[in-house]
């Protein structure tokens, strides 16, 4: 399944930041790369529904995500951030259970049997059993990131948006997170902003390059195109 | 939780026998002290839950209804209502609610007009609070007949408690309490990053508006009957979080119980410490609360 960004317009009045007629399609594990301020995070926020585009559609599985209600969208999209609030008193199970929130039947959230089953299933899948009863705030960066991925899985969403999820992790943990993403990829769309492309490119199915609110490259993950974009073609041979 | 509830009941029983008339007649205990201690528990619980929810939505452990101007706005409007000779039921609480909402709207307006800064809200809150308290003190002073009231309004007192006021406060308290318990999951999610909250289907802005309404309602109803009692809503949520973490399903009730207990003890001190003279309870809570505030400020706690 693909996610189509169809002619999106969005701008911040004051800063002159303007995305115009942005068009791309996202499939499999897609890397979103580009310099700071090129509009990557803004694009993620638009897909997430935090920012409303002035015009255009975001199509997935025949539905326009822009027009969807927040609660319905929460069943389709999950977000994995770079930083997470260190909330105290929540163990790993509680954190993953939060992913079931969009599935509440009434106005009020109550944990149901199927929610508990889903959370257990995810804990097994991501091999988090040993951490299940530990407090989230006491985990290491890599462990926390895995828990957040597990929460996204419990959310049963088909689109994962990641904003530099490995930015503060060491090499071992970076690879572990990417391996986890590879394992759960199935027929999902994973769109990730990564500040370190060398390892993540090996895992990606597609690469999108953004510069000054425009898409300058979309296609196969390719280090040469990336180096060319940054004006570093001379160094390609050294890598 | 059960331990603390039991402790609260014990304190409540003991408090019934504290007061200038000592171990007293049935009539005094039933009609004067019982409503007063119940009022102390309800007001303490209300202010704590109000403070807790405000701290959650603004992700700032230094906030509470008094420091956000909510209490002073309420108090000024209650005083204004007392100058109007027109009588209608629930005049003071209705004015108080409007005053509180007016004050918090001003605070939010002032703090939002500049770039986001975690201290902007706190500072605008303190400024608006001082402004409203100043206007209130000024009005009380130019009206000599009202001067006796100054301590009641600015430092808070439970001395005017009666069965009627207990009933009004408990109705508002239970409605708001149920709201906060039912919304505890959303409050948990609001503690996450904004993007995470959105992706889980919780729109922080919507919940924030509801929470501001309910927490202002709780604080303003207290102000209408007891004047400004500061810092309870600052200290108790912090203590609850240390004891139980940040799960709102647990810390909303816990804050209620601990807040009730704290104000009960402070009121006992205010009645019992000086022979024949009652110290306004807000003075006791401020004496405890200001050092606590400074401690938090130095620690720079987010939540």
């Amino acid at each position: 399944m693909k996610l189509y960004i169809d002619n999106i317009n969005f701008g911040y009045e004051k800063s002159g930041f303007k995305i115009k007629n942005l068009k791309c399609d996202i499939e499999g594990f897609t890397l979103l790369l580009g310099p700071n301020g090129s509009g990557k995070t803004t694009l993620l926020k638009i897909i997430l529904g935090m920012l409303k585009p002035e015009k255009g559609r975001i199509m997935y599985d025949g539905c326009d995500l822009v027009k969807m209600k927040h609660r319905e969208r929460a069943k389709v999209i999950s977000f994995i951030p770079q930083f997470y609030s260190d909330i105290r008193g929540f163990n790993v199970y509680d954190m993953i259970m939060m992913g079931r929130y969009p599935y509440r039947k009434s106005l009020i959230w109550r944990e149901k049997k199927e929610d508990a089953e889903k959370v257990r299933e995810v804990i097994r899948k991501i091999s988090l059993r040993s951490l299940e009863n530990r407090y989230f705030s006491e985990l290491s960066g890599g462990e926390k990131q895995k828990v957040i991925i597990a929460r996204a899985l419990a959310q049963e969403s088909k689109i994962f948006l990641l904003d530099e999820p490995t930015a503060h992790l060491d090499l071992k943990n970076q690879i572990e997170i990417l391996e986890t993403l590879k394992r759960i990829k199935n027929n999902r769309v994973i769109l990730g902003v990564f500040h370190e492309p060398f390892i993540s490119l090996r895992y990606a199915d597609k690469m999108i390059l953004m510069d000054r609110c425009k898409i300058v490259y979309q296609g196969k993950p390719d280090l040469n195109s990336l180096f060319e974009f940054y004006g570093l073609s001379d160094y390609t041979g050294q890598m | 939780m059960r331990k603390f509830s039991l402790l609260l009941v014990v304190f409540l029983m003991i408090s019934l026998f504290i007061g200038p008339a000592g171990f007293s007649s049935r009539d005094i205990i039933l009609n004067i002290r019982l409503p007063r201690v119940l009022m102390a528990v309800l007001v303490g619980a209300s202010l704590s839950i109000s403070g807790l929810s405000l701290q959650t939505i603004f992700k700032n452990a230094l906030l509470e209804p008094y420091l956000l101007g909510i209490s002073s706005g309420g108090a000024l409007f209650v005083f204004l209502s007392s100058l109007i000779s027109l009588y209608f039921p629930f005049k003071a609480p209705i004015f108080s609610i409007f005053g509180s909402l007016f004050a918090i709207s001003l605070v939010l307006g002032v703090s939002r007009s500049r770039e986001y800064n975690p201290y902007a809200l706190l500072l605008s809150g303190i400024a608006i609070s001082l402004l409203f308290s100043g206007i209130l003190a000024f009005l009380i002073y130019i009206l000599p007949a009202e001067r006796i009231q100054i301590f009641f309004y600015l430092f808070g007192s439970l001395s005017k408690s009666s069965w009627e006021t207990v009933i009004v406060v408990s109705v508002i308290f239970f409605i708001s309490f149920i709201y906060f318990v039912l919304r505890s999951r959303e409050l948990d999610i609001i503690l996450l990053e904004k993007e995470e909250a959105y992706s889980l289907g919780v729109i922080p802005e919507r919940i924030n508006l509801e929470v501001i309404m309910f927490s202002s309602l709780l604080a303003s109803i207290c102000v209408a009957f007891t004047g400004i009692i500061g810092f309870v809503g600052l200290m108790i949520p912090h203590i609850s979080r240390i004891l139980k973490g940040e799960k709102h399903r647990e810390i909303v009730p816990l804050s209620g119980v601990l807040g009730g207990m704290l104000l009960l003890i402070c009121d006992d001190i205010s009645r019992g410490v000086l022979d024949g003279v009652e110290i306004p309870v807000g003075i006791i809570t401020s004496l405890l609360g200001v050092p606590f505030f400074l401690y938090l400020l130095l620690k720079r706690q987010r939540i």
Side-chain angles (χ1 to χ4, degrees):
Chain A
M1 201 84 71
K2 278 186 183 181
L3 176 69
Y4 296 98
I5 312 287
D6 188 10
N7 271 316
I8 288 288
N9 272 15
F10 178 83
Y12 293 110
E13 278 171 29
K14 283 178 191 162
S15 61
F17 179 97
K18 185 94 192 141
I19 289 179
K20 236 180 157 183
N21 299 330
L22 189 101
K23 234 175 167 176
C24 61
D25 47 275
I26 300 155
E27 59 191 311
F29 183 6
T30 301
L31 283 191
L32 184 56
L33 302 168
N36 290 337
S38 58
K40 301 177 306 253
T41 305
T42 306
L43 180 60
L44 287 191
K45 285 183 178 174
I46 292 172
I47 300 173
L48 187 59
M50 263 179 91
L51 301 173
K52 210 172 161 49
E54 291 147 16
K55 79 164 225 235
R57 300 182 306 169
I58 300 171
M59 298 302 290
Y60 180 77
D61 198 9
C63 298
D64 185 359
L65 296 180
V66 177
K67 289 191 181 131
M68 228 181 227
K69 283 193 173 145
H70 286 292
R71 196 172 139 190
E72 292 309 310
R73 199 190 287 121
K75 293 176 187 168
V76 185
I77 304 180
S78 38
F79 185 85
I80 294 153
Q82 176 183 5
F83 298 105
Y84 6 76
S85 309
D86 259 343
I87 53 177
R88 286 168 289 159
F90 289 79
N91 61 26
V92 167
Y93 180 90
D94 297 329
M95 283 304 279
I96 300 174
M97 185 54 90
M98 281 187 185
R100 300 301 298 167
Y101 178 79
Y103 294 91
R104 69 196 188 283
K105 294 277 188 311
S106 58
L107 257 179
I108 311 309
W109 195 88
R110 266 175 48 217
E111 188 179 315
K112 298 218 168 53
K113 209 175 136 207
E114 62 253 39
D115 297 322
E117 275 166 13
K118 186 76 210 171
V119 171
R120 298 247 163 263
E121 182 197 317
V122 168
I123 286 175
R124 271 195 304 275
K125 200 169 182 180
I126 307 282
S127 327
L128 287 170
R129 233 188 222 163
S130 56
L131 302 178
E132 194 182 332
N133 294 317
R134 284 192 42 206
Y135 283 120
F136 181 74
S137 54
E138 291 166 0
L139 301 181
S140 73
E143 289 168 337
K144 278 181 183 163
Q145 203 56 273
K146 268 187 167 179
V147 173
I148 302 293
I149 293 175
R151 188 181 69 199
L153 282 177
Q155 211 176 324
E156 295 184 85
S157 45
K158 290 282 176 243
I159 303 168
F160 282 19
L161 302 176
L162 302 92
D163 193 6
E164 302 198 16
T166 56
H168 302 283
L169 302 181
D170 58 34
L171 187 62
K172 182 174 171 284
N173 275 306
Q174 283 186 36
I175 290 177
E176 244 181 68
I177 294 299
L178 286 161
E179 283 290 335
T180 310
L181 288 172
K182 187 173 146 192
R183 204 143 45 85
I184 57 160
K185 203 169 70 178
N186 296 335
N187 51 358
R188 287 195 171 83
V189 171
I190 302 180
L191 177 64
V193 173
F194 281 81
H195 81 148
E196 192 289 319
F198 300 107
I199 308 164
S200 43
L201 267 182
R202 291 170 197 269
Y203 288 85
D205 303 311
K206 189 176 176 173
M207 173 173 104
I208 295 176
L209 270 173
M210 267 185 100
D211 188 26
R212 281 173 247 170
C213 305
K214 286 195 182 81
I215 286 176
V216 291
Y217 174 94
Q218 57 172 323
K220 282 251 161 279
D222 174 26
L223 207 54
N224 290 333
S225 312
L226 189 66
F227 270 64
E228 205 175 293
F229 164 72
Y230 279 107
L232 298 167
S233 306
D234 296 349
Y235 298 91
T236 322
Q238 296 174 24
M239 299 307 290
Chain B
M1 182 69 200
R2 202 183 290 166
K3 262 189 307 190
F4 291 116
S5 311
L6 216 72
L7 206 59
L8 176 66
V9 175
V10 172
F11 276 119
L12 210 144
M13 303 299 264
I14 295 172
S15 305
L16 287 177
F17 300 103
I18 295 176
F23 203 88
S24 207
S25 72
R26 191 166 165 264
D27 194 42
I28 288 186
I29 290 179
L30 271 186
N31 291 321
I32 296 177
R33 288 193 192 152
L34 187 55
R36 180 168 181 151
V37 296
L38 288 177
M39 193 69 165
V41 172
L42 283 167
V43 169
S46 301
L47 293 174
S48 303
I49 293 175
S50 171
L52 171 72
S53 54
L54 290 166
Q55 291 179 7
T56 295
I57 58 165
F58 293 118
K59 296 189 178 179
N60 188 339
L62 293 168
L63 300 178
E64 63 125 3
Y66 170 58
L67 292 174
L68 274 175
I70 294 174
S71 302
S72 309
L76 175 63
F77 274 54
V78 172
F79 180 72
L80 292 176
S81 82
S82 73
L83 300 178
I84 300 170
S85 51
L86 189 74
Y87 178 80
F88 54 91
F90 307 118
K91 187 166 79 168
I94 290 171
F95 267 75
S96 187
I97 291 166
F98 280 116
S100 299
L101 291 176
F102 177 56
I104 187 74
S105 319
L106 267 182
V107 171
L108 290 175
V110 172
S111 67
R112 294 254 163 100
S113 61
R114 295 191 70 82
E115 254 177 60
Y116 180 74
N117 171 344
Y119 289 109
L121 187 65
L122 177 66
L123 290 174
S124 344
I126 292 175
I128 297 290
S129 181
L130 287 173
L131 173 70
F132 281 17
S133 303
I135 297 173
L136 178 61
F138 178 75
L139 286 177
I140 292 176
Y141 256 86
I142 55 169
L143 299 163
E146 306 288 341
R147 270 181 206 166
I148 190 86
Q149 299 269 22
I150 194 159
F151 283 112
F152 171 78
Y153 282 109
L154 291 182
F155 299 108
S157 165
L158 292 155
S159 59
K160 287 188 180 172
S161 310
S162 65
W163 279 112
E164 288 86 59
T165 59
V166 167
I167 290 167
V168 176
V169 175
S170 48
V171 168
I172 298 292
F173 173 75
F174 283 110
I175 293 172
S176 313
F177 180 75
I178 290 169
Y179 165 79
F180 284 118
V181 170
L182 293 180
R183 274 273 182 253
S184 53
R185 175 63 53 158
E186 284 85 350
L187 290 171
D188 291 345
I189 291 176
I190 281 182
L191 286 175
L192 303 172
E193 294 298 311
K194 204 172 175 185
E195 289 86 355
E196 289 178 276
Y198 260 89
S199 81
L200 290 168
V202 173
I203 312 305
E205 289 82 3
R206 279 185 208 162
I207 304 285
N208 289 0
L209 194 66
E210 283 176 27
V211 168
I212 289 172
M213 300 289 265
F214 273 98
S215 51
S216 303
L217 181 68
L218 271 178
S220 61
I221 205 79
C222 299
V223 169
F225 299 120
T226 64
I228 299 170
I229 298 174
F231 298 103
V232 177
L234 177 85
M235 292 186 277
I236 295 298
H238 191 77
I239 296 168
S240 308
R241 275 190 217 105
I242 291 174
L243 290 171
K244 277 274 173 195
E246 289 175 289
K247 236 186 238 174
H248 286 83
R249 208 176 46 200
E250 290 171 4
I251 57 171
V252 167
L254 182 65
S255 293
V257 171
L258 292 179
M261 205 146 53
L262 177 73
L263 199 60
L264 197 57
I265 296 170
C266 289
D267 189 47
D268 288 345
I269 296 172
S270 86
R271 284 186 290 155
V273 79
L274 286 181
D275 227 11
V277 185
E278 196 180 305
I279 307 169
V281 69
I283 292 180
I284 313 277
T285 59
S286 298
L287 286 176
L288 287 173
V290 173
F292 199 95
F293 176 77
L294 291 173
Y295 157 76
L296 288 182
L297 195 64
L298 292 174
K299 257 183 72 185
R300 283 205 196 156
Q301 274 269 348
R302 183 190 61 83
I303 261 204

